[in-house]
């Protein structure tokens, strides 16, 4: 039996091995190929490829998050959270400064919008830090009832 590292071509031959078969036929699968995806790998439809330790497809990054780029994705979330927190603090200080000149409506809405974005980024960071600490992926977490 030959096992490939990638998914099988569905246009060719596919054989199924049932219990009790194969032992009496020494070269039964010589011309057909069976291949199984690696453990924890999943097919990402937007990226159109198999991803090892598939977490999710991130439209902000434009790539599938998996085994090879998960630490960089966590660093990206951390940098985004820090930057949005800093911008929200600067906008909040601008609201206090704008009160002197009575034009604080725009600065207030900017500070509120940046504060909401900061909370969303902080939530994403906390969720993915939890997943990293428990050695889970988003794909496994959302499909835990099926696994």
């Amino acid at each position: 039996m030959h096992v490939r590292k990638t998914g099988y071509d569905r246009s060719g031959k596919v054989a199924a091995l049932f219990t009790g078969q194969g032992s009496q036929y020494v070269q039964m699968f010589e011309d057909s190929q069976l291949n199984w995806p690696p453990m924890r790998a999943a097919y990402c439809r937007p990226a159109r490829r198999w991803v090892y330790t598939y977490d999710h497809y991130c439209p902000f990054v434009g790539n599938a998050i998996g085994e090879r780029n998960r630490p960089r994705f966590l660093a990206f979330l951390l940098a985004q959270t820090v930057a949005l927190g800093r911008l929200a603090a600067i906008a909040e200080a601008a609201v206090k400064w704008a009160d002197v000149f009575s034009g604080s409506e725009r600065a207030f809405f900017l500070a509120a919008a940046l504060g909401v974005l900061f909370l969303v980024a902080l939530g994403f960071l906390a969720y993915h830090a939890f997943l990293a600490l428990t050695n889970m992926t988003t794909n496994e977490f959302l499909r835990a009832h099926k696994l």
Side-chain angles (χ1 to χ4, degrees):
M1 178 165 50
H2 303 283
V3 179
R4 291 178 23 188
K5 292 183 179 179
T6 60
Y8 61 86
D9 183 17
R10 294 178 188 232
S11 62
K13 299 177 182 178
V14 177
L17 180 64
F18 300 102
T19 57
Q21 286 183 331
S23 59
Q24 64 269 35
Y25 306 109
V26 178
Q27 296 177 338
M28 183 175 167
F29 294 108
E30 199 167 82
D31 57 343
S32 64
Q33 295 179 344
L34 290 178
N35 36 15
W36 306 94
M39 292 293 291
R40 299 182 76 185
Y43 185 76
C44 180
R45 288 183 185 164
R48 296 187 202 145
R49 62 187 172 100
W50 286 92
V51 180
Y52 294 109
T53 318
Y54 177 73
D55 192 272
H56 68 283
Y57 180 81
C58 182
F60 301 111
V61 178
N63 199 3
I65 307 301
E67 182 177 302
R68 295 181 182 167
N69 60 357
R70 193 171 180 193
R72 284 177 272 174
F73 179 71
L74 287 172
F76 166 73
L77 283 179
L78 179 64
Q80 183 181 19
T81 305
V82 168
L84 283 171
R86 181 73 177 131
L87 286 173
I90 291 171
E92 191 269 334
V95 168
K96 290 180 181 177
W97 181 257
D99 283 340
V100 176
F101 300 108
S102 70
S104 64
E105 294 85 14
R106 289 183 187 170
F108 174 75
F109 287 120
L110 176 66
L114 287 172
V116 168
L117 288 175
F118 168 72
L119 292 176
V120 169
L122 185 64
F124 278 135
L125 179 64
Y127 173 68
H128 283 284
F130 162 75
L131 290 177
L133 291 173
T134 57
N135 195 22
M136 290 182 69
T137 64
T138 303
N139 190 33
E140 294 166 350
F141 185 77
L142 294 178
R143 300 174 194 269
H145 63 282
K146 293 182 182 179
L147 300 176

